Amino acid sequence: MKILVIRFKQIGDSVLAAPICNTLKNTFPDAQIDYVIYEHIGPLFENHKYIDNVITITKDEQKNIFKYIKKVWQVTRNNYDIIIDIMSTPKSELFTLLSPKCKYKIGRYKKNRGYTYTHKILEPVGAKNKIDKFLKMLKPLEKEYDIKYTEDFSIEVTDQEKEYMKKKMIDAGIDFQKPVLAFAINARVPSKVFNIEKMLEVTKEIIKEFEPQIIFYYSPAEKEFALEAHKKLGNDKHIFTNIETKSIRELAMLLKNCDMFFGNEGGPRHIAHAVGIPTLVVCRPNLDVKEWLIAGDKNEHIGPLDIDPNAYSLEASEQEKMMTVDLIVDKFRKFYNKNVKNSRI
């Protein structure tokens, strides 16, 4: 059996959609599971235990419709038995259009679209989170198969990869006898960024109380921002902005070597969760907590809704006022003591 899963989105969506691949591999251990994602995200799923082939769409193929159609044609020559089109856009539907013999072609219901699907899934009502919503796309298969569901979205970093990055971090001045924290003071999507100035004040207080080693990681596009933030903090010696990651895979290696993740919601936070380190998210106003923040023993958040269940009925500026520096630092203190300090004793 051959199965194709399609997810054209950014990091967080691609990570949280992986349980579909994991569930399918659990259900069909001998099946070939292929995952179609954007090229820059591809390395994240290298040597994944539930995915046989990562098929990537390049930027050139995204922009050039003829190259894109050629890529889809080549992929669909694998003659898949099941196609799960999580994206369900006119562009992603080309995979099912060019797979006429595929038995199950599952997509999301969209008005006046999806004519090539054998099953169209309505937007789930009452899904507990993004993963739960994605997994409901496998419902049509239940009539014929015993689907072995899992919400596992873990990403494995090999011992060799971890050691490679550890050496790189040591060369940059990191002392692994002390706690190492990854700080996300920025995010690729501006709407996910919590108040920068307040986050810098929080960082100051955390340094003052805990004296941790803080890594301001960044993508090439965010390097200038990270350096400027470090400058605003007086180029504090507790902060490291000299550890560059060449790819999303190297970011996963870096996070695997950290004791915890703190800061904005976004793709890196999902990677941190996926590689198994504790994560604490500071929620900006109106963040869809239910959708994006996957609960876990070591994964928590602090946001306006924790202060007032009706906070999202207020203006964003009012929500931000609720999120005081003292409140965030207190939450950090409790989370840090439970997940970092006590685990190192």
Side-chain angles (χ1 to χ4, degrees):
M1 180 180 287
K2 295 180 180 179
I3 304 174
L4 184 69
V5 179
I6 306 157
R7 187 57 176 166
F8 297 151
K9 274 285 189 173
Q10 294 304 323
I11 300 170
D13 283 275
S14 300
V15 171
L16 297 183
I20 285 187
C21 300
N22 303 354
T23 293
L24 290 167
K25 183 61 90 172
N26 281 344
T27 305
F28 309 106
D30 298 323
Q32 174 183 314
I33 310 293
D34 295 348
Y35 196 25
V36 182
I37 51 181
Y38 286 141
E39 184 179 37
H40 66 285
I41 298 172
L44 200 56
F45 297 94
E46 288 177 6
N47 303 314
H48 196 284
K49 61 182 177 181
Y50 296 116
I51 299 170
D52 294 288
N53 298 297
V54 176
I55 299 169
T56 60
I57 302 298
T58 67
K59 286 186 177 180
D60 201 23
E61 288 164 343
Q62 290 178 53
K63 295 175 182 177
N64 187 312
I65 188 61
F66 299 105
K67 290 183 178 180
Y68 176 76
I69 292 171
K70 180 181 178 182
K71 181 63 163 283
V72 175
W73 173 262
Q74 291 171 338
V75 172
T76 53
R77 294 318 88 201
N78 282 308
N79 296 316
Y80 292 99
D81 302 285
I82 299 172
I83 296 177
I84 311 293
D85 181 7
I86 307 173
M87 283 305 301
S88 302
T89 64
K91 205 169 181 181
S92 64
E93 195 181 341
L94 273 174
F95 285 93
T96 50
L97 175 65
L98 297 178
S99 303
K101 295 181 180 180
C102 181
K103 183 176 181 180
Y104 285 95
K105 295 184 281 188
I106 304 172
R108 294 154 65 190
Y109 173 81
K110 301 285 181 69
K111 191 176 181 180
N112 300 321
R113 290 216 325 252
Y115 296 111
T116 66
Y117 300 142
T118 59
H119 300 80
K120 292 192 275 189
I121 309 299
L122 291 169
E123 189 70 12
V125 176
K128 64 181 182 180
N129 54 41
K130 204 80 169 174
I131 293 174
D132 188 31
K133 183 181 287 189
F134 290 150
L135 288 174
K136 291 185 185 303
M137 295 195 71
L138 301 181
K139 194 76 176 172
L141 301 176
E142 292 181 1
K143 291 184 178 180
E144 188 174 353
Y145 305 104
D146 177 21
I147 306 301
K148 295 177 171 57
Y149 288 100
T150 176
E151 295 186 2
D152 174 27
F153 60 98
S154 61
I155 293 169
E156 291 190 28
V157 173
T158 67
D159 292 340
Q160 291 85 351
E161 288 176 320
K162 187 177 179 182
E163 285 303 311
Y164 157 77
M165 184 54 64
K166 185 174 183 179
K167 183 181 183 304
K168 196 172 180 179
M169 293 165 75
I170 290 171
D171 289 344
I174 294 291
D175 179 0
F176 281 95
Q177 296 301 310
K178 303 174 182 177
V180 182
L181 315 182
F183 268 41
I185 57 169
N186 196 17
R188 186 186 61 82
V189 181
S191 62
K192 289 186 175 182
V193 179
F194 182 72
N195 183 289
I196 295 294
E197 296 307 317
K198 195 171 282 189
M199 186 67 86
L200 293 178
E201 286 300 316
V202 169
T203 303
K204 283 182 184 177
E205 293 301 315
I206 288 172
I207 289 172
K208 189 187 301 181
E209 182 172 346
F210 301 96
E211 295 194 2
Q213 298 172 100
I214 295 172
I215 297 175
F216 281 2
Y217 66 85
Y218 49 82
S219 66
E222 296 169 324
K223 182 175 182 177
E224 186 176 338
F225 177 92
L227 294 175
E228 181 61 26
H230 195 184
K231 185 178 178 180
K232 285 183 178 181
L233 292 169
N235 290 317
D236 193 290
K237 65 180 182 180
H238 296 88
I239 298 171
F240 294 79
T241 53
N242 59 337
I243 306 173
E244 296 193 29
T245 51
K246 298 176 183 176
S247 68
I248 194 172
R249 185 77 191 173
E250 286 204 353
L251 175 58
M253 297 176 206
L254 182 144
L255 292 169
K256 184 69 175 178
N257 276 289
C258 293
D259 290 284
M260 71 170 276
F261 169 100
F262 173 76
N264 286 298
E265 163 61 10
R269 203 283 300 190
H270 295 293
I271 297 174
H273 190 162
V275 300
I277 69 169
T279 67
L280 176 60
V281 172
V282 180
C283 303
R284 52 84 174 158
N286 300 315
L287 176 68
D288 195 339
V289 176
K290 184 181 176 184
E291 282 267 300
W292 292 105
L293 300 180
I294 310 302
D297 293 338
K298 300 187 296 181
N299 305 282
E300 299 180 18
H301 62 273
I302 177 70
L305 293 179
D306 297 305
I307 304 158
D308 180 357
N310 299 310
Y312 284 4
S313 63
L314 304 174
E315 293 292 329
S317 58
E318 291 301 311
Q319 293 180 44
E320 280 201 352
K321 287 179 184 177
M322 293 179 174
M323 297 287 287
T324 66
V325 170
D326 287 345
L327 180 78
I328 298 170
V329 172
D330 183 59
K331 177 68 176 183
F332 179 93
R333 182 183 299 113
K334 293 172 182 174
F335 186 86
Y336 177 89
N337 287 340
K338 180 179 73 171
N339 292 286
V340 180
K341 184 178 179 180
N342 290 344
S343 68
R344 294 178 69 93
I345 294 174

